[in-house]
Amino acid sequence: MRVLVVTAVPVERDAVTRAFGGAPESVALPGGELHRSGAFDVLAGGAGPAAAAAATAFALASAPYGLVVSAGIGGAFTPLTPLGSLVVASDIVAADLGADTPDGFLPVTALGFGRDRFAPPPALVREVAAATGATAGPVLTVSTVTGTAERAAALLAAHPGALAEAMEGFGVAEAAARSEVPVLELRAVSNAVGPRDRDAWRIGDALAALGDAFGKTAPVLEGWNRHDDRHRG
């Protein structure tokens, strides 16, 4: 089976696809244009968890996949993940799915329904971290990018140890889980989480790091996909 990589926007998709070399085959899907390179299908599914979930679901319905990877750039919370570095999610967390109350935020699980996180296969997380030099830790999915120091502090208080935030991981993971396909999230850091300062963002460096990461981790993903039975359980 193949590996499906889902990004938000075409520039992220293209950064990933370039890592595989050659000219990719373009495949039109209801969820967006998919680029096929070797064992990898790379889809720009749209920004935000809803678009990512819908696009991933369409792709998973179109062909058999053994692994889904949410990939792209994102913001970092800690000095452990400086600009241009890589993060691989140990947990994919829906950070703002729940309810606001006078006593603070309640995750959807505290309301008695749904789930608010997915855990990628730990062995795969370790192998990808070793191959790429990525730091492993929780990655938060938000529907609104953090723009203040207060909001960044609140997210860290609610999710101690979180390394980064992005907008698509949980949506991709939700679709993958419903198709019973393992999921991974890999992010390159383009900015710090907090007050928006576009002049300080390093999008070009992050995209280059993202492509480099897939160049290094492609053999890991292919090998794990071929022999994933040994990782289950």
Side-chain angles (χ1 to χ4, degrees), residues 9-37:
V9 294
V11 69
E12 293 169 320
R13 178 199 62 202
D14 295 345
V16 173
T17 304
R18 280 194 294 270
F20 306 134
E25 174 190 358
S26 293
V27 179
L29 292 178
E33 184 184 25
L34 181 149
H35 286 184
R36 179 161 290 164
S37 297

Side-chain angles (χ1 to χ4, degrees), residues 100-123:
D100 194 18
T101 78
D103 297 320
F105 175 76
L106 289 178
V108 67
T109 51
L111 303 177
F113 53 87
R115 63 187 301 173
D116 65 352
R117 68 182 58 229
F118 292 93

Side-chain angles (χ1 to χ4, degrees), residues 2-192:
R2 306 179 62 76
V3 178
L4 175 65
V5 182
V6 183
T7 71
V9 294
V11 69
E12 293 169 320
R13 178 199 62 202
D14 295 345
V16 173
T17 304
R18 280 194 294 270
F20 306 134
E25 174 190 358
S26 293
V27 179
L29 292 178
E33 184 184 25
L34 181 149
H35 286 184
R36 179 161 290 164
S37 297
F40 294 87
D41 289 352
V42 190
L43 173 67
T56 302
F58 272 117
L60 289 171
S62 72
Y65 290 98
L67 177 67
V68 180
V69 183
S70 176
I73 63 177
F77 284 101
T78 76
L80 294 176
T81 49
L83 300 189
S85 65
L86 298 166
V87 173
V88 58
S90 61
D91 295 274
I92 301 171
V93 183
D96 55 8
L97 180 62
D100 194 18
T101 78
D103 297 320
F105 175 76
L106 289 178
V108 67
T109 51
L111 303 177
F113 53 87
R115 63 187 301 173
D116 65 352
R117 68 182 58 229
F118 292 93
L124 179 58
V125 171
R126 290 192 297 269
E127 289 179 32
V128 169
T132 63
T135 302
V139 175
L140 308 185
T141 298
V142 295
S143 295
T144 301
V145 173
T146 300
T148 67
E150 292 77 13
R151 176 60 176 160
L155 285 172
L156 274 180
H159 305 283
L163 295 181
E165 74 168 23
M167 299 181 72
E168 293 79 32
F170 190 82
V172 173
E174 187 75 73
R178 293 181 183 225
S179 294
E180 300 183 339
V181 179
V183 70
L184 184 77
E185 183 171 10
L186 181 61
R187 296 281 167 183
V189 176
S190 60
N191 58 282

